[in-house]
Amino acid sequence: MHANLRKLSFFLLFYLSVNIGLVGQAENSEGVKVGLALSGGGAKGLAHVGVLKVLEEAGIRPDYITGTSMGSVIGGLYAMGYDVATLDSLVRAQDWDRVMSDRIPLDEVVMEEKIYFENELIEFPFDGIRIKAPSGLIYGQEISKLLNKLTLPAYEIEKFEELPVPFQCIGSDIVKGEALILNEGVLPEAMRISMAIPTVFTPIKQDSILFVDGGLIHNFPVKEVKDMGADIIIGVYTGRKLADEENLESFSDILLQSVFLLGIQDAELQQELCDVYIEPELGAYSALDFNEYDSIIHKGEKAARVQFERLKELGQFLKQYQKPANRKTPKAVDSLFVDQIEVEGNRLVPTSQIRGRFGLEPGHYHRVDEIEAGIDALFGTNYFKRVTYRIRKRAGENILRLRLIEKAATNLRLALNYDSYLEAGILFNLSFRNSLLPASRFIFGAKIAVNYRLNMDYLKYLDDRQETAVKLNVHFNRDEIPIYQDGIQSQEFRVFDFLMDLRAQRRVGDNFLTGIGIQREQLSFRPQAGTNLEFENLNYTNHNVYAFATYNSLDRNNFPRAGTQVDLVFKGINHFDSRVKSFQSTNPVDADSLFNKETYFSLRFQMKSYLPTGERSQFRVSPFLGVLFNSKNAFEDFFLVGSPSEVSRRSVPFYGLDANELVAESMVGGNIGFEYFVRDNLMVSLDASVGWFSLPLGFRSTILPVPDLFLAGTGLTFGYDSFLGPIRFSFMLPAYTEGGIPGKLRTFLHIGHRF
């Protein structure tokens, strides 16, 4: 009875204060509490920051906060003590494309996995021998990492009522169809559970409950803040509204209304419990428009300012009954003493391998950026769907627990690919992890096309940090090499290239790899057309030894915007055997060219570097060098020059030439291009290539009696990053050819991924 009289007294006074402008004294209103309920809405929930700015200006300090989805993130951080200015800065500082995805830059992926990382059209995991459908959803790697970092100052708090402002958030049990209150546990995990947006993020399983976004059922937690003890409730709604028939035009509109129907209807009921209701006008934005944060925050501020006078009078009224605010922005945690490191969720990957790759030891202070680097290192192995951590206090000790969701042991990747040389084909890649031996990976890949590619690759790590490994690779290609005389194609060889390669390698960091290896290489040349055919079939077998170093800091596989890639190989070639069928030439020079058995050496260097010149523009510089030492003949070791793309393991891109149009035994030169991104996924580039080349004896034309040849070419390329993969279409023109190369316009089209 006393509580009801106190509440009635308060509301009478508040009515007089806000609606008449009188400020009264209320002895029975000393315990008045204000609750703030923040809805979900994805990116639209960023409008809460603008509303909070106006509430602070009006002198309103909530005593309780509840939130759903993005409202749980903004509300939870505010409850921790982050002020509006800090929240605003945090929102603006994020790379939202990265935060709202599982995508990390390619330079954080280990060298052994770079070529396969996000480089497929679709991926199918296997459950035993049964193939599973891909989920199409993301696991929230980056948003989890961000929430962990921002909430570290409160890592010792397990009951959210103990935060500077008591806090609760809402999740949905998708199995039972119930909304559940999250008011204890690990704060970033509760926020992440509340923000498991259907159709975007995967559900999260915790304590045998399968959670999805709280907004699915209960998007506006007004009743909860009332139950916490709030006398007056300020509600901010940024979620979906029921669309009428005219606005349900597409399948996606109908689907979203169906998914969130219960939450929308519930929000309408919750609105009636609000004493102050604020709803920003956000119809022009979607739940994924995070890069529109500036406009969305402004919309929230604008909606709150409509009621500013009322809010200001409320703030003045509450000032009499609330203690002065003692808000302190949480002090950033720079380092932590880690007493123990625990691992959970791993079944396929041994704990020792995980600890080794993580790289941190218990019993030491570790900086937060070191912990995050270890998390990125684990995720960069491509073994996991999600890698997160939490720090808990147990028996006075800090326990750092790594929480993992592994990828399936067996995965099938598929892609479509077309280019003007290889033509249309289907790419598939079947990978097995830790199936044959621990800390191992076996991959079988192929391109099914006229000029096919087959590849088998087995990698075995030798240490827990996964830095030292042995690798066996078997490679089989079919290629075509045209031969030109006087600017006219006179011959064409079909080449079958078989390579067995065994190497020992050492990785330094994520981006540098070096090692030594041995090879058995078999080449088969078969003339297809032309005049003066000297043989019907020519076969070589070489035994090679080599040393290599490769560096790759590119930020992504498709349309890189920064970074450098370098490949350097020094090889000794030992001619082991050769066989020829129907050899017809009596010229001793030709015989010496075909059957030279001397050991010789080759050095190959190729580089690509992207140098940004503005937000949307960059230079691409690609020098190349290839040299043979002590060789009378390089018919069995050569470079294939031409086209903007690498179409085989011997390829050297060169604008102005078709693929494999020039066969060279030595070369020096480079490509330079200026790229401009009209949009993030649409690019145009101007390119130029120059080079000096020496031709193998067996490939020289009559018009080029000396080995030195200078070539130059230009190109114009249009690129588009599509759902099928990158699309590039190039126009190319030889600028200077010394008469040996046709001067006609060339085109080259490439569609799809490569691996």
Side-chain angles (χ1 to χ4, degrees):
M1 178 69 72
H2 177 72
N4 290 334
L5 288 174
R6 180 171 63 85
K7 195 165 185 178
L8 177 61
S9 173
F10 162 73
F11 279 114
L12 287 172
L13 287 168
F14 174 63
Y15 177 83
L16 292 174
S17 171
V18 174
N19 297 291
I20 303 178
L22 300 177
V23 178
Q25 301 295 324
E27 296 179 359
N28 292 329
S29 300
E30 186 176 350
V32 170
K33 301 294 183 182
V34 177
L36 177 64
L38 304 177
S39 79
K44 294 189 286 187
L46 298 176
H48 295 315
V49 176
V51 173
L52 287 170
K53 178 180 179 181
V54 177
L55 294 183
E56 283 195 357
E57 289 182 19
I60 296 175
R61 174 173 57 87
D63 298 285
Y64 307 106
I65 299 175
T66 57
T68 298
S69 194
M70 182 55 76
S72 75
V73 175
I74 302 298
L77 295 177
Y78 196 69
M80 278 180 58
Y82 284 96
D83 59 26
V84 171
T86 304
L87 288 176
D88 186 86
S89 297
L90 288 173
V91 168
R92 297 174 189 278
Q94 302 311 313
D95 178 354
W96 287 104
D97 290 333
R98 175 171 177 172
V99 169
M100 298 304 295
S101 72
D102 289 338
R103 182 177 300 167
I104 62 174
L106 188 66
D107 60 0
E108 295 180 10
V109 178
V110 295
M111 282 290 292
E112 302 91 297
E113 297 291 329
K114 288 182 187 288
I115 189 173
Y116 306 113
F117 191 74
E118 295 185 344
N119 201 17
E120 71 279 336
L121 178 61
I122 193 168
E123 181 176 2
F124 295 94
F126 279 77
D127 183 5
I129 61 172
R130 183 173 60 90
I131 195 168
K132 298 172 64 177
S135 69
L137 303 176
I138 63 177
Y139 279 78
Q141 170 69 18
E142 292 298 304
I143 187 67
S144 296
K145 192 172 75 172
L146 176 63
L147 294 177
N148 271 335
K149 182 175 182 178
L150 295 179
T151 58
L152 264 182
Y155 80 94
E156 295 186 51
I157 296 177
E158 296 190 3
K159 294 185 181 298
F160 304 161
E161 64 184 19
E162 297 175 3
L163 291 168
V165 179
F167 171 71
Q168 293 180 359
C169 58
I170 306 298
S172 295
D173 182 342
I174 190 62
V175 176
K176 294 183 178 180
E178 297 176 351
L180 298 179
I181 296 173
L182 306 172
N183 56 15
E184 62 180 7
V186 182
L187 183 58
E189 290 180 4
M191 293 176 174
R192 174 64 183 85
I193 286 171
S194 184
M195 198 181 170
I197 304 171
T199 73
V200 178
F201 291 116
T202 57
I204 295 178
K205 189 171 184 178
Q206 181 173 293
D207 299 329
S208 74
I209 299 174
L210 195 63
F211 282 103
V212 294
D213 193 293
L216 192 66
I217 298 173
H218 191 45
N219 196 29
F220 198 18
V222 181
K223 181 179 182 300
E224 285 68 26
V225 80
K226 181 181 180 69
D227 292 342
M228 290 176 76
D231 298 301
I232 182 167
I233 299 171
I234 301 172
V236 186
Y237 187 71
T238 58
R240 292 184 63 86
K241 302 286 288 183
L242 279 176
D244 55 28
E245 183 178 348
E246 293 181 358
N247 293 315
L248 292 175
E249 298 178 347
S250 67
F251 172 76
S252 60
D253 292 333
I254 296 172
L255 177 63
L256 288 172
Q257 177 129 317
S258 300
V259 169
F260 290 99
L261 184 60
L262 288 177
I264 296 171
Q265 292 175 335
D266 177 72
E268 292 177 347
L269 297 175
Q270 297 295 315
Q271 178 182 340
E272 298 175 3
L273 302 176
C274 296
D275 300 296
V276 178
Y277 177 73
I278 300 172
E279 182 180 335
E281 178 52 58
L282 299 168
Y285 306 96
S286 78
L288 298 178
D289 282 339
F290 284 92
N291 288 319
E292 300 294 330
Y293 53 80
D294 191 65
S295 298
I296 292 173
I297 291 174
H298 175 71
K299 289 287 188 180
E301 181 179 348
K302 181 179 179 181
R305 289 204 182 280
V306 171
Q307 303 189 52
F308 183 71
E309 290 304 320
R310 186 182 182 205
L311 292 171
K312 186 175 179 181
E313 296 218 24
L314 173 59
Q316 290 293 327
F317 175 75
L318 294 174
K319 201 172 185 181
Q320 304 172 76
Y321 312 112
Q322 291 184 328
K323 296 179 181 178
N326 189 26
R327 294 182 63 84
K328 293 183 179 179
T329 298
K331 185 178 180 181
V333 177
D334 297 321
S335 63
L336 286 165
F337 189 87
V338 177
D339 294 281
Q340 295 184 46
I341 297 177
E342 299 176 346
V343 179
E344 69 175 41
N346 60 312
R347 183 175 57 88
L348 301 170
V349 184
T351 298
S352 60
Q353 189 178 341
I354 293 168
R355 288 178 177 271
R357 180 62 182 155
F358 184 58
L360 303 183
E361 295 293 335
H364 301 279
Y365 275 96
H366 293 295
R367 298 192 312 274
V368 173
D369 59 352
E370 289 179 323
I371 296 173
E372 292 189 335
I375 295 297
D376 289 340
L378 283 168
F379 191 67
T381 62
N382 214 16
Y383 278 31
F384 306 102
K385 298 175 182 176
R386 192 177 72 193
V387 181
T388 59
Y389 71 95
R390 69 178 186 181
I391 297 176
R392 301 292 296 271
K393 205 78 169 177
R394 189 172 68 201
E397 293 187 337
N398 286 333
I399 312 299
L400 191 156
R401 177 170 293 179
L402 301 175
R403 313 187 74 182
L404 313 167
I405 299 178
E406 294 176 316
K407 290 188 174 182
T410 305
N411 287 276
L412 173 65
R413 298 182 180 94
L414 296 175
L416 301 176
N417 182 270
Y418 173 87
D419 67 43
S420 301
Y421 170 70
L422 294 170
E423 299 183 345
I426 298 174
L427 284 74
F428 72 88
N429 175 299
L430 191 60
S431 63
F432 305 85
R433 297 184 183 275
N434 295 344
S435 297
L436 302 179
L437 290 171
S440 69
R441 183 203 68 192
F442 176 74
I443 292 178
F444 175 70
K447 175 169 182 175
I448 310 302
V450 174
N451 289 316
Y452 51 78
R453 303 283 187 260
L454 301 175
N455 186 69
M456 289 183 289
D457 183 295
Y458 181 73
L459 177 75
K460 173 68 175 76
Y461 289 109
L462 302 179
D463 63 330
D464 288 338
R465 290 188 61 84
Q466 303 173 58
E467 294 174 335
T468 304
V470 292
K471 180 180 176 182
L472 175 65
N473 180 260
V474 179
H475 196 74
F476 189 45
N477 279 4
R478 177 190 184 277
D479 284 292
E480 295 173 353
I481 302 176
I483 305 299
Y484 290 88
Q485 277 189 320
D486 302 328
I488 300 173
Q489 182 177 335
S490 61
Q491 294 186 32
E492 181 177 272
F493 289 98
R494 181 168 294 166
V495 180
F496 298 90
D497 184 351
F498 175 81
L499 179 70
M500 182 179 294
D501 184 310
L502 178 64
R503 66 165 62 167
Q505 62 185 43
R506 174 78 174 180
R507 177 170 38 78
V508 180
D510 291 334
N511 300 326
F512 181 73
L513 192 68
T514 186
I516 56 175
I518 57 175
Q519 296 175 335
R520 179 181 173 88
E521 183 178 34
Q522 293 176 274
L523 296 170
S524 176
F525 295 86
R526 299 178 186 177
Q528 297 301 299
T531 59
N532 301 320
L533 300 180
E534 298 179 347
F535 55 83
E536 183 178 330
N537 195 350
L538 177 63
N539 297 284
Y540 288 103
T541 300
N542 299 327
H543 290 166
N544 310 324
V545 296
Y546 69 96
F548 75 95
T550 181
Y551 175 80
N552 187 342
S553 65
L554 300 181
D555 61 342
R556 54 191 181 187
N557 275 316
N558 301 326
F559 300 111
R561 302 294 295 271
T564 298
Q565 182 176 359
V566 178
D567 292 291
L568 178 66
V569 180
F570 182 74
K571 180 163 61 173
I573 299 128
N574 176 46
H575 180 80
F576 178 73
D577 185 34
S578 59
R579 289 172 292 167
V580 65
K581 182 178 180 180
S582 303
F583 183 61
Q584 299 177 5
S585 176
T586 58
N587 188 330
V589 174
D590 291 340
D592 186 57
S593 168
L594 294 176
F595 304 119
N596 170 54
K597 294 187 178 181
E598 292 186 11
T599 298
Y600 59 99
F601 300 91
S602 71
L603 175 68
R604 175 171 179 156
F605 168 83
Q606 284 185 277
M607 174 179 171
K608 286 189 297 185
S609 188
Y610 294 83
L611 310 172
T613 58
E615 185 177 350
R616 293 190 172 273
S617 60
Q618 61 190 22
F619 279 105
R620 183 188 68 254
V621 181
S622 307
F624 56 78
L625 171 70
V627 182
L628 295 182
F629 304 94
N630 304 325
S631 172
K632 293 182 180 179
N633 163 54
F635 196 78
E636 60 211 83
D637 196 79
F638 49 87
F639 307 105
L640 298 175
V641 183
S643 88
S645 301
E646 294 183 8
V647 296
S648 74
R649 69 184 182 91
R650 301 178 185 273
S651 289
V652 179
F654 195 91
Y655 288 87
L657 301 181
D658 286 324
N660 298 354
E661 189 168 350
L662 179 67
V663 182
E665 71 170 30
S666 295
M667 60 180 183
V668 61
N671 307 302
I672 186 169
F674 177 77
E675 299 181 345
Y676 181 79
F677 285 81
V678 180
R679 297 200 305 265
D680 288 342
N681 62 345
L682 182 62
M683 178 270 291
V684 61
S685 70
L686 293 172
D687 302 275
S689 299
V690 296
W692 288 262
F693 303 93
S694 177
L695 307 183
L697 291 173
F699 287 83
R700 292 177 188 164
S701 65
T702 56
I703 203 169
L704 297 169
V706 295
D708 297 324
L709 170 67
F710 174 75
L711 296 177
T714 60
L716 172 66
T717 298
F718 298 93
Y720 177 67
D721 196 5
S722 74
F723 76 97
L724 288 174
I727 299 175
R728 294 184 179 89
F729 186 68
S730 299
F731 297 92
M732 302 180 295
L733 188 68
Y736 184 84
T737 65
E738 295 187 349
I741 301 294
K744 64 180 181 180
L745 178 69
R746 294 156 169 81
T747 61
F748 191 88
L749 174 63
H750 169 255
I751 302 173
H753 297 284
R754 292 185 186 275
F755 51 73

